[in-house]
Amino acid sequence: MHIPVLLKEVTDNLIHKDDGIYIDATLGFGGHSKAILSSLGRGKLLGIDRDIEALSQVHIDDNRFEKMKANFTSIDVAAHIWGVEKVDGILADIGVSSYQIDSNDRGFSYIGDGPLDMRMDKSMDKSALDVVNSYSEEDIANVIYNFGEERRSRRIAKLIVKRRSSSVIRTTSELFGIVMSASSSGLSSVKRVFQAIRIEVNNEIDNLKIMLDKASNLLSTGGRISIITFHSLEDRIVKSYFRESKFLEPLFKKAIVPSGEEVEQNSRSKPAKLRVAYKLPVNQY
Ligand SMILES: C[S@@+](CC[C@H](N)C(=O)[O-])C[C@H]1O[C@@H](n2cnc3c(N)ncnc32)[C@H](O)[C@@H]1O
């Protein structure tokens, strides 16, 4: 079960033409897509996700809707296959779904035991097991520092390398134990390390940058792009991309965040930030 965040804020700011063409670049459980469809008139919506398991769970019986397995780095190709060259709005709700986190066999979570996997797309080669067991100590430390903003990255990397010299680190609970013993910050460090390795496995930062470029090209004049992020690293990328792009203008200076009521009902929504921009007319680039 995945509860979509900032639902009303997304539809209010994304749908500006009720006969428009929209893409949900992170379909997940389809919560945002369903809300978009109920705000749309004669328009249409394509939902894409790189996780085939997530896609197979979404059953939306609506002839205005289609779904497709794709990485959003190929959002332009997905649109072309769908039969469109320009769109009126794009949503990306970045990160992992509760369904992915709560499935122990996917290895995303430190709660419960599972294989060190963390691949959103199981057809990709690199898993968390590869990062933890084959990266150099320095590379592991850099991943943990750059993508987890964890101060004890060197100490944690050192302990990982020491432990793997006796046997392969295979499970999320083994990694949990190593991080807990390397850092006095306990669970906070574990969260940051798991986030960092997941970002590395799925190439999330590069993917976000590529998608922003492709998406801003794909938008028609006045078209909206709405991005929801869950940590500061990604929010900073979106914020500066919107500010610096010559094709886009941010709709609001500040990010939209969940209300106190939403956070109370869904604590996972707490770190969410929504930023919205629109495509400028050609003569204003
Ligand atoms: C936070 S969930 C989206 C939840 C969705 N908005 C809903 O209401 O159910 C993020 C989803 O994006 C997908 N995803 C993450 N990175 C992706 C990428 N590069 N390309 C396509 N899908 C991606 C994940 O597999 C996951 O299903």
Side-chain angles (χ1 to χ4, degrees):
M1 171 71 174
H2 178 90
I3 306 170
V5 302
L6 294 162
L7 206 51
K8 185 169 182 326
E9 293 83 348
V10 165
T11 48
D12 283 356
N13 291 296
L14 183 70
I15 316 288
H16 59 108
K17 274 170 80 177
D18 79 346
D19 60 348
I21 298 171
Y22 294 86
I23 296 184
D24 178 351
T26 51
L27 180 62
F29 252 63
H32 284 110
S33 278
K34 285 177 194 156
I36 291 169
L37 286 166
S38 50
S39 305
L40 270 186
R42 285 176 297 110
K44 59 179 190 168
L45 173 70
L46 173 68
I48 65 177
D49 203 294
R50 66 188 299 200
D51 184 344
I52 198 88
E53 266 183 38
L55 276 175
S56 69
Q57 310 269 351
V58 179
H59 305 287
I60 299 177
D61 186 16
D62 187 317
N63 56 18
R64 299 168 302 166
F65 175 76
E66 269 186 54
K67 61 181 181 178
M68 196 184 290
K69 179 185 184 289
N71 190 320
F72 59 46
T73 53
S74 302
I75 191 168
D76 50 343
V77 179
H80 182 74
I81 293 170
W82 188 38
V84 307
E85 301 305 327
K86 288 284 171 199
V87 301
D88 299 299
I90 294 166
L91 166 69
D93 174 16
I94 306 292
V96 273
S97 67
S98 306
Y99 169 76
Q100 289 164 325
I101 292 183
D102 295 341
S103 307
N104 285 348
D105 63 319
R106 302 294 300 270
F108 285 108
S109 173
Y110 52 86
I111 301 167
D113 195 17
L116 267 183
D117 190 330
M118 300 196 195
R119 287 170 302 167
M120 289 180 191
D121 178 349
K122 282 186 169 178
S123 68
M124 300 307 285
D125 287 336
K126 187 166 66 186
S127 69
L129 187 133
D130 301 313
V131 173
V132 168
N133 290 286
S134 65
Y135 277 29
S136 69
E137 183 177 325
E138 191 184 352
D139 286 348
I140 293 177
N142 287 341
V143 165
I144 294 174
Y145 186 75
N146 292 332
F147 299 153
E149 299 178 316
E150 166 58 50
R151 283 192 300 120
R152 293 161 200 81
S153 56
R154 306 231 159 265
R155 199 172 138 74
I156 295 168
K158 193 174 181 151
L159 209 63
I160 288 175
V161 169
K162 188 172 170 217
R163 194 66 62 84
R164 79 185 189 197
S165 65
S166 51
S167 66
V168 176
I169 302 165
R170 293 192 182 279
T171 65
T172 53
S173 54
E174 284 174 81
L175 182 61
F176 176 92
I178 294 167
V179 181
M180 286 298 272
S181 60
S183 166
S184 53
S185 305
L187 217 50
S188 311
S189 292
V190 173
K191 281 184 192 165
R192 289 192 281 263
V193 170
F194 271 68
Q195 170 189 296
I197 294 175
R198 190 202 83 211
I199 289 175
E200 172 67 14
V201 166
N202 296 291
N203 205 18
E204 292 178 42
I205 300 298
D206 286 346
N207 285 349
L208 173 59
K209 291 176 182 165
I210 295 168
M211 184 269 285
L212 287 168
D213 276 342
K214 299 258 177 92
S216 41
N217 247 325
L218 191 59
L219 284 176
S220 51
T221 299
R224 306 264 175 102
I225 176 164
S226 301
I227 311 281
I228 300 171
T229 58
F230 286 85
H231 52 83
S232 53
L233 202 66
E234 289 171 339
D235 181 56
R236 282 200 295 271
I237 292 170
V238 176
K239 184 181 175 183
S240 60
Y241 191 91
F242 283 0
R243 202 191 301 134
E244 286 157 23
S245 167
K246 59 178 184 166
F247 305 113
L248 299 174
E249 182 69 24
L251 209 56
F252 311 104
K253 266 202 177 124
K254 289 196 164 172
I256 300 172
V257 296
S259 64
E261 196 185 335
E262 177 168 1
V263 174
E264 210 169 283
Q265 283 165 8
N266 174 19
S267 59
R268 280 179 177 170
S269 70
K270 194 171 178 195
K273 284 192 171 157
L274 167 66
R275 292 192 185 270
V276 189
Y278 66 94
K279 178 92 170 255
L280 289 164
V282 179
N283 61 0
Q284 289 183 29
Y285 294 168

